[in-house]
Structure formats: C-alpha cells, structure tokens
Amino acid sequence: MHWLGLITVVAVALGFSYTNGFHDSANAIATSVSTRALTPRAALLMAAVMNLLGSYIGLRLGGGVASTITSGIIKVPAGDAGLWIVFSLLVGAIVWNVLTWYFGLPSSSSHALIGGMIGAGLAAGATVEWKGVWEKVILPMVSSPVVGFILAFFLMVGILWAFRKAHPGRVSRGFRFSQTISAAAMALGHGIQDAQKTIGVIMLALIAGGHATSKSAVPNWVLLSSALAISLGTYAGGWRIMRTLGRKVIELDPPRGFAAETVASAVLYFTAFVWKAPVSTTHIITGSIMGVGATKRKSAVRWGVARNIVGAWVFTLPCAGLCAAFVWWITNALFG
C-alpha cells in the first residue's frame, strides 16, 4: 500500500507539471506569437526545448526554488499521512489550473501549488511555515509584477528614445528577430522556476515516504521526469491564455514584445538564483506587458481585462487551498 501511494503521488505530481506546462506556455510565447515574430507551433516547440534546458540549469545551479518548496512552506509527517497531504495539495492545484485555463485566465500555477500546500497542510494539522510563506510567497507575489511593470516601462521609454529617428518598418523587423531570443530567454526562465517546483513536491513525497531527507540530492529520474512533463505540457499549448496575454491586455508590437520578455526573463533569473523564491511567471510577464503598454497611452491597456487577471491572482491562493483541503477531507475519510 505504501509503494502504491508513493507511485500515485509521483504520477499526480507529474500530471501537475504537465498542466503547468500547458497553462503557463503562453507566458513565454504569447507576445512573440501576437507580434508574428514566431509561428504558434514553432514558438511552442522552442518553449518546450528551453523549458527542458531550464529545468536542468535551475537544479544544477543551486536548486533554491526546489529547496523552498521541499522545506520552506509546510512540514509533512512521515508515512502515509504525509503522502496523502502531498496528494491532496497536488490535486487541489490541478483543479484550479484547469478551471482558470478553461476560462482563459492567466493565474499562477506556482501559487496554485503553494495555495494547495497551505490548504492541505492546515486541513491535516501539519505545520505551516508562515515566515516562509510571507518571505518567499507573499512578498514576491506582490513585488515581482510591480518591478516588471516599472522596469518594462522604462526599458520601453529607452527604446522609443533610442530609435525615435529610425524607420518604423526597419525597427519592427529588427525587433521581431530579437524577440526570438527574448522569448527563448523567457521560456528558459520558466523552466528554471517551474520545473523546480514539481521537483520539490516529488522530493516532499519521497521524504514523507522515508526514501529521502531534506538534504538528499535530487535523483536523476526526478529531474528528468519533471522536465519532460513540463516540456510536453508546454508543447501541448495553452491557446486560451495565449489569446488573453497576447491580444486582450494590449495590442503588442515587436519592440514592446521584446521589452516585456526581456524584463520578465531578467526578473525570473533574479528570483530563482538570488531570492530563491517560487515566483509566478504569469504575474511577471503580465506586469511587464502592462508596463510597455503604459508607454503608449493610458487607454492602450485594457484595464478591465487587467482587473480580471489581478482578481484571479488574489483568489488563487485561497481557492486552490480550499480545493486541496476538500480533497484531503475526502481522502482522509476514505483512507484515514
């Protein structure tokens, strides 16, 4: 029964990684597709490959995000009780991912996972590391899109000033090519951040099952399976969310797409390697898109759509937490 539970939890974790890929694939490629810098299929293939590479790089250059997920949010008990907590938090996150994908809302898979961790942990009576939640979740959740907005705004102002006398068509073609690089950098950052979260959860399950400790090295099969799952999910595509980010928030042109992706990828690298915080790729790229849009005019950004996105952000943690708590109550009633 123990091994069956562990295998089930690992399979569900990889399922979450897959939904993370198709849910968040739009983050990396929406701007490039909307400006026609890349075709949708080419963009998805590029994003899948860079996600795979980013998964490896993120873990081999520190693995700080995975460590935060493993030991910085909740402490799960050993044995089957711990496995059911991990199972519940994953199912809660998957349910919220699928709901927001269905309605085309670019909510955060990262915060759905963390909301699930908190909800399942509280329902089960596990210890929640509230200091870690505040420092590694709440503060980055609020600050990262604001930083993305500000930096993208000023980068776009600099681009507009630097190319103010250049021929618009030539500038557009040049930035359309540059977007290939910035989109790849964005996809790499997504892999660095988000694959580590699945790795952290699988390690949490292995620790609960007595097959690892918080100081154990990540097995190669965990790294490879997590990376493949998120890459396959990315290639499956997230067309609903792509339309929201790429067209409904603001009509992007290649220079603005390049600026948004460049800033978002830089913030992702900083938070992964310096802050070691599991931030939301969705929050950061959306804030950056709004920042470059604000350089046009206030009315260029469709603030109604932006409010809906922010609403999804606010509700992600508690709603995913409630979903996970509900799953734990059912699981505990059946198997507890």
Side-chain angles (χ1 to χ4, degrees), residues 237-303:
W239 307 109
R240 293 172 185 266
I241 294 170
M242 194 187 304
R243 284 194 294 270
T244 298
L245 278 179
R247 297 173 187 172
K248 292 184 179 179
V249 177
I250 178 180
E251 292 295 335
L252 288 168
D253 53 28
R256 285 178 170 82
F258 170 81
E261 289 170 340
T262 299
V263 166
S265 57
V267 175
L268 283 173
Y269 299 152
F270 178 84
T271 52
F273 297 125
V274 180
W275 203 346
K276 299 179 181 180
V279 297
S280 167
T281 315
T282 310
H283 290 195
I284 294 169
I285 188 59
T286 306
S288 300
I289 289 172
M290 292 179 185
V292 298
T295 60
K296 280 187 173 182
R297 58 188 183 280
K298 185 178 179 181
S299 60
V301 178
R302 298 183 179 97
W303 297 104

Side-chain angles (χ1 to χ4, degrees), residues 7 55 122 161 183 210 222 324 334:
I7 292 170
S55 304
L122 289 175
W161 184 85
V222 175
L334 293 174

Side-chain angles (χ1 to χ4, degrees), residues 183-250:
M186 181 74 194
L188 184 71
H190 180 252
I192 288 171
Q193 270 282 347
D194 285 43
Q196 283 197 67
K197 293 157 192 168
T198 302
I199 290 169
V201 172
I202 294 177
M203 291 301 295
L204 200 64
L206 292 176
I207 291 169
H211 301 284
T213 68
S214 59
K215 296 182 180 180
S216 297
V218 175
N220 287 329
W221 70 265
V222 175
L223 169 59
L224 182 61
S225 60
S226 300
L228 285 174
I230 198 170
S231 297
L232 289 172
T234 298
Y235 190 68
W239 307 109
R240 293 172 185 266
I241 294 170
M242 194 187 304
R243 284 194 294 270
T244 298
L245 278 179
R247 297 173 187 172
K248 292 184 179 179
V249 177
I250 178 180

